[in-house]
PDB file of all heavy atoms in Angstrom:
ATOM      1  N   HIS A 135     129.187  38.421 138.756  1.00 96.00           N
ATOM      2  CA  HIS A 135     129.840  37.108 138.946  1.00 96.00           C
ATOM      3  C   HIS A 135     129.446  36.115 137.858  1.00 96.00           C
ATOM      4  O   HIS A 135     130.474  35.419 137.247  1.00 96.00           O
ATOM      5  CB  HIS A 135     129.490  36.645 140.382  1.00 96.00           C
ATOM      6  CG  HIS A 135     130.405  35.570 140.955  1.00 96.00           C
ATOM      7  ND1 HIS A 135     130.276  35.024 142.136  1.00 96.00           N
ATOM      8  CD2 HIS A 135     131.551  35.039 140.357  1.00 96.00           C
ATOM      9  CE1 HIS A 135     131.219  34.154 142.342  1.00 96.00           C
ATOM     10  NE2 HIS A 135     131.995  34.133 141.332  1.00 96.00           N
ATOM     11  N   CYS A 136     128.241  36.037 137.466  1.00 94.00           N
ATOM     12  CA  CYS A 136     127.767  35.141 136.488  1.00 94.00           C
ATOM     13  C   CYS A 136     128.435  35.560 135.125  1.00 94.00           C
ATOM     14  O   CYS A 136     128.929  34.744 134.413  1.00 94.00           O
ATOM     15  CB  CYS A 136     126.198  35.248 136.328  1.00 94.00           C
ATOM     16  SG  CYS A 136     125.642  34.090 135.065  1.00 94.00           S
ATOM     17  N   LEU A 137     128.482  36.796 134.844  1.00 96.00           N
ATOM     18  CA  LEU A 137     129.063  37.405 133.658  1.00 96.00           C
ATOM     19  C   LEU A 137     130.563  37.013 133.589  1.00 96.00           C
ATOM     20  O   LEU A 137     131.089  36.502 132.485  1.00 96.00           O
ATOM     21  CB  LEU A 137     128.859  38.864 133.541  1.00 96.00           C
ATOM     22  CG  LEU A 137     129.543  39.518 132.298  1.00 96.00           C
ATOM     23  CD1 LEU A 137     129.078  39.060 131.025  1.00 96.00           C
ATOM     24  CD2 LEU A 137     129.255  41.104 132.458  1.00 96.00           C
ATOM     25  N   ALA A 138     131.285  37.188 134.683  1.00 97.00           N
ATOM     26  CA  ALA A 138     132.674  36.814 134.690  1.00 97.00           C
ATOM     27  C   ALA A 138     132.867  35.358 134.348  1.00 97.00           C
ATOM     28  O   ALA A 138     133.834  35.048 133.599  1.00 97.00           O
ATOM     29  CB  ALA A 138     133.232  37.046 136.190  1.00 97.00           C
ATOM     30  N   HIS A 139     132.144  34.475 134.846  1.00 95.00           N
ATOM     31  CA  HIS A 139     132.215  33.024 134.589  1.00 95.00           C
ATOM     32  C   HIS A 139     131.883  32.782 133.118  1.00 95.00           C
ATOM     33  O   HIS A 139     132.566  31.801 132.506  1.00 95.00           O
ATOM     34  CB  HIS A 139     131.432  32.128 135.597  1.00 95.00           C
ATOM     35  CG  HIS A 139     132.250  31.960 136.943  1.00 95.00           C
ATOM     36  ND1 HIS A 139     133.144  31.071 136.997  1.00 95.00           N
ATOM     37  CD2 HIS A 139     131.981  32.627 137.997  1.00 95.00           C
ATOM     38  CE1 HIS A 139     133.613  31.178 138.355  1.00 95.00           C
ATOM     39  NE2 HIS A 139     132.979  32.134 138.810  1.00 95.00           N
ATOM     40  N   MET A 140     130.994  33.463 132.448  1.00 96.00           N
ATOM     41  CA  MET A 140     130.623  33.231 131.171  1.00 96.00           C
ATOM     42  C   MET A 140     131.855  33.723 130.235  1.00 96.00           C
ATOM     43  O   MET A 140     132.211  33.055 129.350  1.00 96.00           O
ATOM     44  CB  MET A 140     129.328  33.986 130.787  1.00 96.00           C
ATOM     45  CG  MET A 140     128.179  33.293 131.299  1.00 96.00           C
ATOM     46  SD  MET A 140     126.612  33.929 130.687  1.00 96.00           S
ATOM     47  CE  MET A 140     126.611  35.559 131.381  1.00 96.00           C
ATOM     48  N   LEU A 141     132.436  34.779 130.734  1.00 97.00           N
ATOM     49  CA  LEU A 141     133.645  35.294 129.959  1.00 97.00           C
ATOM     50  C   LEU A 141     134.821  34.417 130.084  1.00 97.00           C
ATOM     51  O   LEU A 141     135.471  34.102 129.050  1.00 97.00           O
ATOM     52  CB  LEU A 141     134.064  36.699 130.426  1.00 97.00           C
ATOM     53  CG  LEU A 141     133.092  37.870 130.124  1.00 97.00           C
ATOM     54  CD1 LEU A 141     133.455  39.086 130.848  1.00 97.00           C
ATOM     55  CD2 LEU A 141     133.042  38.138 128.557  1.00 97.00           C
ATOM     56  N   LEU A 142     134.975  33.798 131.353  1.00 97.00           N
ATOM     57  CA  LEU A 142     136.151  32.903 131.529  1.00 97.00           C
ATOM     58  C   LEU A 142     135.896  31.611 130.573  1.00 97.00           C
ATOM     59  O   LEU A 142     136.915  31.171 130.024  1.00 97.00           O
ATOM     60  CB  LEU A 142     136.116  32.484 132.971  1.00 97.00           C
ATOM     61  CG  LEU A 142     136.780  33.430 133.933  1.00 97.00           C
ATOM     62  CD1 LEU A 142     136.483  33.123 135.360  1.00 97.00           C
ATOM     63  CD2 LEU A 142     138.290  33.498 133.763  1.00 97.00           C
ATOM     64  N   ALA A 143     134.791  31.194 130.335  1.00 96.00           N
ATOM     65  CA  ALA A 143     134.545  29.971 129.569  1.00 96.00           C
ATOM     66  C   ALA A 143     134.793  30.385 128.171  1.00 96.00           C
ATOM     67  O   ALA A 143     135.140  29.399 127.261  1.00 96.00           O
ATOM     68  CB  ALA A 143     133.029  29.601 129.507  1.00 96.00           C
ATOM     69  N   LYS A 144     134.701  31.632 127.680  1.00 97.00           N
ATOM     70  CA  LYS A 144     135.157  32.006 126.374  1.00 97.00           C
ATOM     71  C   LYS A 144     136.656  32.305 126.138  1.00 97.00           C
ATOM     72  O   LYS A 144     137.170  32.508 124.983  1.00 97.00           O
ATOM     73  CB  LYS A 144     134.291  33.328 125.940  1.00 97.00           C
ATOM     74  CG  LYS A 144     132.928  33.159 125.854  1.00 97.00           C
ATOM     75  CD  LYS A 144     132.533  32.484 124.621  1.00 97.00           C
ATOM     76  CE  LYS A 144     130.962  32.703 124.321  1.00 97.00           C
ATOM     77  NZ  LYS A 144     130.560  32.074 123.092  1.00 97.00           N
ATOM     78  N   MET A 145     137.316  32.391 127.336  1.00 96.00           N
ATOM     79  CA  MET A 145     138.730  32.838 127.300  1.00 96.00           C
ATOM     80  C   MET A 145     139.627  31.646 127.277  1.00 96.00           C
ATOM     81  O   MET A 145     140.885  31.899 127.122  1.00 96.00           O
ATOM     82  CB  MET A 145     139.089  33.603 128.646  1.00 96.00           C
ATOM     83  CG  MET A 145     138.405  34.888 128.777  1.00 96.00           C
ATOM     84  SD  MET A 145     138.589  35.723 130.424  1.00 96.00           S
ATOM     85  CE  MET A 145     140.381  35.413 130.826  1.00 96.00           C
ATOM     86  N   TYR A 146     139.128  30.476 127.351  1.00 95.00           N
ATOM     87  CA  TYR A 146     140.151  29.299 127.500  1.00 95.00           C
ATOM     88  C   TYR A 146     139.629  28.270 126.424  1.00 95.00           C
ATOM     89  O   TYR A 146     138.537  28.314 125.896  1.00 95.00           O
ATOM     90  CB  TYR A 146     140.067  28.665 128.942  1.00 95.00           C
ATOM     91  CG  TYR A 146     140.826  29.525 129.866  1.00 95.00           C
ATOM     92  CD1 TYR A 146     140.112  30.541 130.709  1.00 95.00           C
ATOM     93  CD2 TYR A 146     142.133  29.368 130.027  1.00 95.00           C
ATOM     94  CE1 TYR A 146     140.721  31.283 131.639  1.00 95.00           C
ATOM     95  CE2 TYR A 146     142.804  30.206 130.941  1.00 95.00           C
ATOM     96  CZ  TYR A 146     142.171  31.156 131.742  1.00 95.00           C
ATOM     97  OH  TYR A 146     142.843  31.874 132.536  1.00 95.00           O
ATOM     98  N   SER A 147     140.579  27.276 126.214  1.00 94.00           N
ATOM     99  CA  SER A 147     140.162  26.124 125.377  1.00 94.00           C
ATOM    100  C   SER A 147     140.529  24.905 126.111  1.00 94.00           C
ATOM    101  O   SER A 147     141.206  24.899 127.093  1.00 94.00           O
ATOM    102  CB  SER A 147     140.905  26.170 123.949  1.00 94.00           C
ATOM    103  OG  SER A 147     142.421  26.183 124.198  1.00 94.00           O
ATOM    104  N   GLY A 148     140.122  23.739 125.519  1.00 93.00           N
ATOM    105  CA  GLY A 148     140.463  22.440 126.057  1.00 93.00           C
ATOM    106  C   GLY A 148     140.007  22.219 127.435  1.00 93.00           C
ATOM    107  O   GLY A 148     138.798  22.616 127.735  1.00 93.00           O
ATOM    108  N   VAL A 149     140.733  21.628 128.343  1.00 93.00           N
ATOM    109  CA  VAL A 149     140.379  21.203 129.628  1.00 93.00           C
ATOM    110  C   VAL A 149     139.971  22.408 130.478  1.00 93.00           C
ATOM    111  O   VAL A 149     139.020  22.411 131.269  1.00 93.00           O
ATOM    112  CB  VAL A 149     141.522  20.303 130.291  1.00 93.00           C
ATOM    113  CG1 VAL A 149     141.139  20.151 131.739  1.00 93.00           C
ATOM    114  CG2 VAL A 149     141.580  19.015 129.570  1.00 93.00           C
ATOM    115  N   SER A 150     140.719  23.450 130.335  1.00 93.00           N
ATOM    116  CA  SER A 150     140.493  24.744 131.117  1.00 93.00           C
ATOM    117  C   SER A 150     139.136  25.249 130.670  1.00 93.00           C
ATOM    118  O   SER A 150     138.358  25.769 131.646  1.00 93.00           O
ATOM    119  CB  SER A 150     141.594  25.718 130.806  1.00 93.00           C
ATOM    120  OG  SER A 150     142.780  25.302 131.209  1.00 93.00           O
ATOM    121  N   LYS A 151     138.806  25.237 129.504  1.00 93.00           N
ATOM    122  CA  LYS A 151     137.372  25.702 129.051  1.00 93.00           C
ATOM    123  C   LYS A 151     136.401  24.889 129.705  1.00 93.00           C
ATOM    124  O   LYS A 151     135.367  25.393 130.275  1.00 93.00           O
ATOM    125  CB  LYS A 151     137.294  25.634 127.514  1.00 93.00           C
ATOM    126  CG  LYS A 151     135.913  26.150 127.056  1.00 93.00           C
ATOM    127  CD  LYS A 151     135.828  26.041 125.426  1.00 93.00           C
ATOM    128  CE  LYS A 151     134.598  26.617 125.020  1.00 93.00           C
ATOM    129  NZ  LYS A 151     134.607  28.085 124.952  1.00 93.00           N
ATOM    130  N   ALA A 152     136.514  23.569 129.688  1.00 93.00           N
ATOM    131  CA  ALA A 152     135.558  22.568 130.360  1.00 93.00           C
ATOM    132  C   ALA A 152     135.448  23.011 131.815  1.00 93.00           C
ATOM    133  O   ALA A 152     134.304  22.981 132.364  1.00 93.00           O
ATOM    134  CB  ALA A 152     136.060  21.171 130.139  1.00 93.00           C
ATOM    135  N   LYS A 153     136.522  23.271 132.418  1.00 92.00           N
ATOM    136  CA  LYS A 153     136.503  23.601 133.932  1.00 92.00           C
ATOM    137  C   LYS A 153     135.728  24.883 134.080  1.00 92.00           C
ATOM    138  O   LYS A 153     134.864  25.029 135.074  1.00 92.00           O
ATOM    139  CB  LYS A 153     137.902  23.753 134.523  1.00 92.00           C
ATOM    140  CG  LYS A 153     138.610  22.394 134.657  1.00 92.00           C
ATOM    141  CD  LYS A 153     140.110  22.779 135.187  1.00 92.00           C
ATOM    142  CE  LYS A 153     140.819  21.456 135.367  1.00 92.00           C
ATOM    143  NZ  LYS A 153     142.155  21.769 135.930  1.00 92.00           N
ATOM    144  N   MET A 154     135.813  25.813 133.194  1.00 92.00           N
ATOM    145  CA  MET A 154     135.043  27.152 133.362  1.00 92.00           C
ATOM    146  C   MET A 154     133.704  26.912 133.197  1.00 92.00           C
ATOM    147  O   MET A 154     132.772  27.517 133.677  1.00 92.00           O
ATOM    148  CB  MET A 154     135.703  28.170 132.475  1.00 92.00           C
ATOM    149  CG  MET A 154     137.157  28.574 132.731  1.00 92.00           C
ATOM    150  SD  MET A 154     137.333  29.182 134.501  1.00 92.00           S
ATOM    151  CE  MET A 154     137.714  27.789 135.505  1.00 92.00           C
ATOM    152  N   ILE A 155     133.286  26.079 132.081  1.00 91.00           N
ATOM    153  CA  ILE A 155     131.881  25.637 131.824  1.00 91.00           C
ATOM    154  C   ILE A 155     131.258  25.191 132.999  1.00 91.00           C
ATOM    155  O   ILE A 155     130.054  25.400 133.405  1.00 91.00           O
ATOM    156  CB  ILE A 155     131.765  24.885 130.482  1.00 91.00           C
ATOM    157  CG1 ILE A 155     132.102  25.714 129.346  1.00 91.00           C
ATOM    158  CG2 ILE A 155     130.385  24.326 130.457  1.00 91.00           C
ATOM    159  CD1 ILE A 155     132.261  24.929 128.067  1.00 91.00           C
TER     160      ILE A 155
END
Side-chain angles (χ1 to χ4, degrees):
H135 200 178
C136 181
L137 176 61
H139 280 278
M140 289 190 295
L141 290 169
L142 282 164
K144 298 277 195 179
M145 290 169 51
Y146 288 93
S147 61
V149 173
S150 296
K151 180 180 185 82
K153 288 179 180 181
M154 295 302 94
I155 291 170

